[in-house]
Amino acid sequence: MKNSSSNPMVDIEHLKEALSAAKQSRKYSEAAYKSQLKALKAGLKPLKAAIVHAEKLEKEAKAALKAYKKELKAAYESASTSPAGEVSPKAAEEPTNQRRKPGPKPKTEKTTPAAKPSGGDDLTKVKGVGDKVAEMLNQNGITSYADMAATSFERYKELLKANGMSQFRNPTNWASLAADLAAAPPPAEEEAPKRRGRKPGPKPKAEKTTPAAKPSRKKAASGGDDLTKVKGVGDKVAEMLNQNGITTYADMAATSFERYKELLKANGMSQFRNPTNWASLAADLAAAPPPAEEEAPKRRGRKPGPKPQAEASAEPKRRGRKPGPKTEKIAPAAKPGRKKAGSGGDDLTKVKGVGDKVAEMLNQNGITSYADMAATSFERYKELLKANGMSQFRNPTNWASLAADLAAAPPPAEEEAPKRRGRKPGPKPQAEASAEPKRRGRKPGPKTEKIAPAAKPGRKKASSGGDDLTKVKGVGDKVAEMLNQNGITSYADMAATSFERYKELLKANGMSQFRNPTNWASLAADLAAAPPPAEEEAPKRRGRQPGPKPQAEASAEPKRRGRKPTAEKAPNPAPVKREKDPNREDDLTLVKGVGSRVADMLKENGIKSFDDMADTSVDHFKELLKANNMSRFRDPSNWPELARELIS
């Protein structure tokens, strides 16, 4: 009988390990939550500042309105208290509400809008700049978009405040908007409206022209790349990066996150822009192949011109496929796959959890093959990921083992070209005339040797000359390989290895989680004692062998039909009683409910064989279990009976 009971202490260890993994997962989740919350708070800061500024402006407007009402009230009171006939100076200045005498309305001259200053730009095209503000800026020497782009936010605030225009005006983005207008091409002159209707005369034949190429965004710098293809980078940011020497995708990939933040802050562009992934996106664009040029669309239809006359031929045309030599069939092109991450190395993206960016980072750090990954420790992976800002949501725990499996796997076989079906083209050969008529059916002849079917592919043995340890329940390929490396290559070696040694090996190799080696020794002992499996015989061939049927020899005795007489059944032999051997030791774990720890305890107390267990009382078993703190979840009521069954 097999031992199916589980060890409570081992279960507790498994639960502790699961609890530790859950705590680690919670730690990662908390770190991710904190980082996201931090980023959200950073985005809310500018909004809070804008709210405070708006509240300040609202207070100023309320105060101005209150003061104005107060002045009106004071003027009204002074006018009401002054003696009759006298008018206060303020009231004299105010226009009287007298009706105008009827008469012809004077014609007002229509004035043209003021021309913009000579050599300057129309500053009112900047959003938020009106006529008065534009006039004030011109008076202070700011006459073009370039001047506005070069003026700081503090200077704008100072000018507006000095001229009493600071209320309800926010010059935060005037410089950036003016820079965009300065960089924009000059507007094309408006053409005169076309005259509608067809001109009289013969219609000229228009030459067919190829369609104009679609306008694309010009590159941000001469000889550089179009940085606006990086997600989150607009025209202004691309121009700013070019001015700071970052003109290509390679330059962007080599620029750090801190440098991006510094440049954005220095140029007043840090609001609502997050340059976290600009370097990685630029690296992907730098590694991508250049886009293929678009071909001109083919012209459809028949070319104009007289149709050529076909030459007369005496031989009529033959319809269908022309006979001739077999043309070589071109094998289909291989499907495009992911290119290897490093020159001469392996495709590290086949390891689960490793993407293109991580594979590129590993190649840059000298890890270019599966063997390099298998030899790299967990701590080294964590260090590299943390140093490159990739540690979030990535767990390199099993990268080394997965890479080892890929390194040990055979290379994939190349796909063969598909065979061509059908008859080869060419004239059908004429069969030679034979005087003997053809015989239909199976040709008689010597019996051909039947080829035995190929053996089914199985798991190869873990070590040369050893046993296949994966047949032990709970032992996989990785564990079998680890045991072979530690000198355990056969079932006998596994049976002789203790539970503590298994735990030590699994823990040292990072394989202790969810693996219970409690019964590996007993299972290996059963496999070692089992006879080797018999080789499978070739299946017998059914049916009559080809050839002339042999004639049966004549026999004087006629055949007897019916059931053959059977010999009398021999009585069952009596069970042989086993002699009791005081020095005999049995595998007590074969008794249901007895594990390896209980078996060791029983042997320490002199119960070494099934005979000893059969002679021991249930009460004595209970006393031993209680004395060794093993009585919980164990019931020895049927142990003597099970031991007697094993003896017989």
Side-chain angles (χ1 to χ4, degrees):
M1 287 189 177
K2 304 292 180 189
N3 181 20
S4 62
S5 66
S6 61
N7 195 337
M9 299 301 292
V10 176
D11 295 339
I12 291 170
E13 288 181 7
H14 290 172
L15 291 172
K16 286 181 178 179
E17 290 171 358
L19 179 62
S20 176
K23 286 181 178 179
Q24 190 176 7
S25 177
R26 180 179 62 80
K27 194 181 290 182
Y28 287 148
S29 300
E30 286 179 354
Y33 169 75
K34 286 179 181 177
S35 65
Q36 294 291 335
L37 186 62
K38 190 176 180 181
L40 186 61
K41 286 181 178 178
L44 289 175
K45 280 183 181 179
L47 296 175
K48 287 183 179 179
I51 291 170
V52 171
H53 182 65
E55 288 176 353
K56 188 178 177 182
L57 293 176
E58 185 182 359
K59 286 180 181 178
E60 291 177 359
K62 284 182 179 179
L65 182 62
K66 192 174 181 181
Y68 184 67
K69 285 182 178 179
K70 194 174 181 181
E71 288 178 4
L72 285 177
K73 189 177 180 181
Y76 177 75
E77 287 176 355
S78 62
S80 61
T81 55
S82 61
E86 294 183 8
V87 183
S88 64
K90 209 171 235 185
E93 291 177 5
E94 291 178 4
T96 56
N97 192 15
Q98 292 179 358
R99 193 171 181 180
R100 189 173 60 85
K101 292 180 180 181
K105 189 177 180 180
K107 291 183 179 179
T108 56
E109 295 181 1
K110 195 171 183 180
T111 59
T112 57
K116 59 183 178 181
S118 177
D121 296 319
D122 184 6
L123 304 187
T124 58
K125 289 186 178 179
V126 178
K127 188 176 180 182
V129 177
D131 293 328
K132 294 182 182 178
V133 176
E135 186 178 354
M136 180 270 292
L137 293 175
N138 288 321
Q139 290 170 2
N140 285 276
I142 303 170
T143 58
S144 64
Y145 298 140
D147 296 339
M148 284 195 74
T151 305
S152 65
F153 172 74
E154 289 74 16
R155 177 63 177 159
Y156 283 127
K157 292 290 286 184
E158 182 183 341
L159 291 172
L160 290 172
K161 194 172 183 181
N163 290 275
M165 298 180 179
S166 61
Q167 196 172 8
F168 305 118
R169 287 185 177 90
N170 185 9
T172 305
N173 57 349
W174 287 1
S176 58
L177 293 172
D180 292 345
L181 289 170
E189 294 181 2
E190 294 182 0
E191 296 180 359
K194 293 181 180 180
R195 184 178 177 182
R196 294 185 180 181
R198 190 173 63 83
K199 292 180 181 180
K203 188 177 179 181
K205 291 185 178 179
E207 295 180 1
K208 194 165 185 180
T209 57
T210 55
K214 292 181 181 177
S216 58
R217 292 176 106 164
K218 62 178 181 179
K219 292 186 178 178
S222 177
D225 296 320
D226 184 7
L227 304 187
T228 58
K229 289 185 178 178
V230 177
K231 188 176 180 182
V233 176
D235 294 328
K236 299 177 192 175
V237 177
E239 185 179 355
M240 179 271 291
L241 293 176
N242 287 319
Q243 291 171 0
N244 286 277
I246 302 169
T247 58
T248 62
Y249 299 139
D251 296 339
M252 285 195 73
T255 305
S256 65
F257 172 75
E258 289 73 17
R259 177 62 177 159
Y260 283 127
K261 292 290 285 183
E262 181 183 343
L263 290 173
L264 290 172
K265 193 171 182 181
N267 290 274
M269 298 180 178
S270 60
Q271 194 173 10
F272 305 118
R273 288 185 176 92
N274 185 9
T276 305
N277 57 348
W278 287 2
S280 57
L281 293 173
D284 294 343
L285 288 170
E293 294 182 2
E294 294 182 0
E295 296 180 0
K298 292 182 180 179
R299 184 177 179 182
R300 295 183 180 180
R302 189 174 60 81
K303 294 181 180 179
K307 188 174 180 180
Q309 297 293 328
E311 296 178 3
S313 174
E315 184 181 353
K317 287 185 180 179
R318 183 179 178 183
R319 294 186 179 180
R321 188 167 55 82
K322 295 180 180 180
K326 184 180 178 181
T327 56
E328 294 181 1
K329 188 161 186 179
I330 299 167
K335 294 180 180 177
R338 289 173 111 166
K339 61 178 182 179
K340 292 184 177 178
S343 176
D346 296 319
D347 184 8
L348 304 186
T349 57
K350 289 185 178 178
V351 177
K352 188 176 180 182
V354 177
D356 293 328
K357 296 179 187 176
V358 177
E360 185 179 355
M361 179 272 291
L362 293 176
N363 285 317
Q364 291 171 359
N365 286 277
I367 302 170
T368 58
S369 63
Y370 299 140
D372 296 340
M373 285 194 73
T376 305
S377 65
F378 171 76
E379 289 73 17
R380 177 62 177 159
Y381 283 126
K382 292 291 286 181
E383 181 184 342
L384 290 173
L385 290 171
K386 193 172 182 180
N388 290 274
M390 299 179 178
S391 60
Q392 195 173 9
F393 305 119
R394 289 186 175 92
N395 185 9
T397 306
N398 57 347
W399 287 2
S401 57
L402 293 173
D405 293 344
L406 288 170
E414 295 182 1
E415 294 182 359
E416 296 180 0
K419 293 181 180 179
R420 184 175 179 180
R421 295 183 180 180
R423 188 175 61 81
K424 295 181 180 180
K428 188 173 180 181
Q430 298 292 330
E432 296 179 3
S434 174
E436 183 181 352
K438 288 185 180 179
R439 182 179 178 183
R440 295 187 179 180
R442 188 165 53 81
K443 296 180 181 179
K447 183 180 178 182
T448 56
E449 294 181 3
K450 185 155 187 178
I451 299 167
K456 294 179 181 177
R459 290 171 112 165
K460 61 178 181 179
K461 292 185 179 178
S463 176
S464 177
D467 295 321
D468 184 7
L469 304 186
T470 57
K471 290 186 178 178
V472 177
K473 188 176 179 182
V475 176
D477 293 328
K478 296 179 188 176
V479 177
E481 186 178 355
M482 180 271 291
L483 294 175
N484 286 318
Q485 291 171 359
N486 286 278
I488 302 170
T489 58
S490 63
Y491 299 140
D493 295 339
M494 285 194 72
T497 305
S498 65
F499 171 75
E500 288 72 17
R501 176 62 177 159
Y502 283 126
K503 291 291 287 181
E504 181 184 344
L505 289 173
L506 290 172
K507 193 171 183 180
N509 289 274
M511 299 179 178
S512 60
Q513 195 172 9
F514 306 118
R515 289 187 175 91
N516 184 8
T518 306
N519 57 347
W520 287 2
S522 58
L523 293 173
D526 294 343
L527 289 170
E535 295 182 1
E536 294 182 0
E537 295 181 1
K540 292 181 180 180
R541 183 175 179 181
R542 295 182 180 180
R544 189 174 62 81
Q545 296 181 356
K549 187 175 180 181
Q551 298 293 328
E553 295 179 3
S555 174
E557 184 180 352
K559 287 185 180 180
R560 183 178 177 183
R561 295 185 179 181
R563 189 164 57 85
K564 293 181 181 179
T566 56
E568 294 181 0
K569 260 190 178 181
N572 291 329
V576 180
K577 192 173 182 181
R578 190 173 74 167
E579 295 181 2
K580 189 173 181 180
D581 185 4
N583 297 322
R584 181 183 179 84
E585 287 191 9
D586 293 323
D587 184 6
L588 303 185
T589 58
L590 297 176
V591 177
K592 187 176 181 181
V594 177
S596 57
R597 294 177 64 197
V598 176
D600 293 339
M601 181 271 292
L602 293 175
K603 287 180 181 179
E604 288 174 2
N605 286 278
I607 303 171
K608 301 180 179 180
S609 64
F610 298 140
D611 297 306
D612 297 337
M613 287 192 73
D615 295 339
T616 306
S617 65
V618 176
D619 296 332
H620 187 52
F621 279 129
K622 289 183 178 180
E623 288 176 10
L624 291 174
L625 290 171
K626 192 173 183 180
N628 290 275
N629 294 325
M630 297 181 180
S631 59
R632 194 177 181 187
F633 304 120
R634 289 185 177 90
D635 183 17
S637 303
N638 58 346
W639 287 1
E641 184 182 350
L642 294 172
R644 291 189 200 99
E645 290 178 2
L646 289 170
I647 292 169
S648 60

